[in-house]
Amino acid sequence: GENVGLHLPTLSVQEGDNSIINCAYSNSASDYFIWYKQESGKGPQFIIDIRSNMDKRQGQRVTVLLNKTVKHLSLQIAATQPGDSAVYFCAENTGGFKTIFGAGTRLFVKA
Amino acid sequence: DTAVSQTPKYLVTQMGNDKSIKCEQNLGHDTMYWYKQDSKKFLKIMFSYNNKELIINETVPNRFSPKSPDKAHLNLHINSLELGDSAVYFCASSQGTGFYEQYFGPGTRLTVT
């Protein structure tokens, strides 16, 4: 449905710690999931994606986990840095045409 | 080189006016989008064009009219602006529909007074 994700929760982490941002999606037919990062005053920026035939995908310092059984997506950021402070959105895509964004999670990184 | 650009970045106008926002992408993408982001950061798709053809038209007032003169451009015209139209509008593009990430422009902050 239209309510992917949580309603802008905030996560505060210490620099150097790992961050985990969670997202719940509602459409079991969704087959493509994307994480975006939005810094203040900028447009969302692609971080990592995963297709529904996978349950884990790794990038540089980021890992996305997909649990289709409970319709849950998570983004793990290793060794969080001040530059990681932003709003993070999960998004789902069904059938290739329409991407639905979650409400976002604000990540604060404390130095 | 800017991949997805929008003009203007800021737009302040009065209720009842008509305004346009322009978007251009130099990525050679086939698909372009308009999103509206409200004050709570919620990002909602408004329109999507693929090869200049409208493929997504969400429940948007017909005061909003997109126009795609070619694959690289997608403009948004808004008639009779209302206070509730105040938001940040993002243009985006992707290589196609399906399993492709979207590239977003810097946004246009529209304030209606």
Side-chain angles (χ1 to χ4, degrees):
Chain A
E2 296 289 331
N3 294 309
V4 176
L6 307 173
H7 290 287
L8 205 58
T10 298
L11 176 65
S12 185
V13 299
Q14 198 69 38
E15 181 180 359
D17 287 351
N18 296 334
S19 302
I20 299 176
I21 301 171
N22 295 303
C23 173
Y25 65 93
S26 56
N27 190 346
S28 55
S30 291
D31 50 12
Y32 179 51
F33 304 88
I34 318 103
W35 280 99
Y36 289 89
K37 171 187 180 184
Q38 186 178 22
E39 296 175 282
S40 181
K42 296 183 179 179
Q45 180 182 13
F46 170 83
I47 302 173
I48 192 167
D49 58 2
I50 189 168
R51 297 194 187 187
S52 59
N53 60 355
M54 303 172 68
D55 53 22
K56 180 179 179 179
R57 190 156 188 236
Q58 287 184 290
Q60 189 176 16
R61 281 201 308 119
V62 293
T63 300
V64 56
L65 299 177
L66 175 63
N67 185 332
K68 293 182 289 293
T69 303
V70 295
K71 291 186 285 187
H72 184 268
L73 195 66
S74 69
L75 176 71
Q76 300 177 1
I77 304 173
T80 313
Q81 303 168 358
D84 295 326
S85 293
V87 176
Y88 289 81
F89 294 94
C90 65
E92 63 178 316
N93 186 295
T94 307
F97 283 98
K98 181 173 157 183
T99 299
I100 300 171
F101 281 76
T105 296
R106 189 179 298 278
L107 175 66
F108 284 112
V109 180
K110 296 176 286 188
Chain B
D1 282 345
T2 303
V4 182
S5 59
Q6 294 177 230
T7 54
K9 184 147 177 74
Y10 300 97
L11 187 51
V12 181
T13 189
Q14 291 184 324
M15 285 174 54
N17 284 348
D18 303 338
K19 290 293 178 186
S20 292
I21 307 172
K22 295 186 176 182
C23 177
E24 177 182 0
Q25 55 96 0
N26 62 5
L27 297 166
H29 287 169
D30 287 339
T31 310
M32 296 185 72
Y33 312 81
W34 277 111
Y35 286 87
K36 179 180 180 180
Q37 186 171 48
D38 63 23
S39 58
K40 296 180 180 178
K41 294 289 190 182
F42 192 72
L43 200 61
K44 185 171 172 63
I45 190 164
M46 300 171 69
F47 302 104
S48 176
Y49 273 72
N50 188 55
N51 284 317
K52 300 194 300 175
E53 297 296 322
L54 181 66
I55 57 170
I56 293 175
N57 185 348
E58 287 296 287
T59 309
V60 177
N62 57 14
R63 298 182 294 104
F64 290 78
S65 53
K67 280 200 173 66
S68 182
D70 55 58
K71 281 196 328 180
H73 296 85
L74 181 62
N75 304 322
L76 183 66
H77 188 76
I78 315 169
N79 289 327
S80 304
L81 279 154
E82 300 177 358
L83 292 177
D85 297 332
S86 295
V88 181
Y89 291 84
F90 286 100
C91 176
S93 73
S94 63
Q95 190 172 337
T97 59
F99 303 118
Y100 298 107
E101 70 269 25
Q102 295 177 24
Y103 293 76
F104 284 78
T108 295
R109 182 175 292 277
L110 172 65
T111 304
V112 183
T113 62

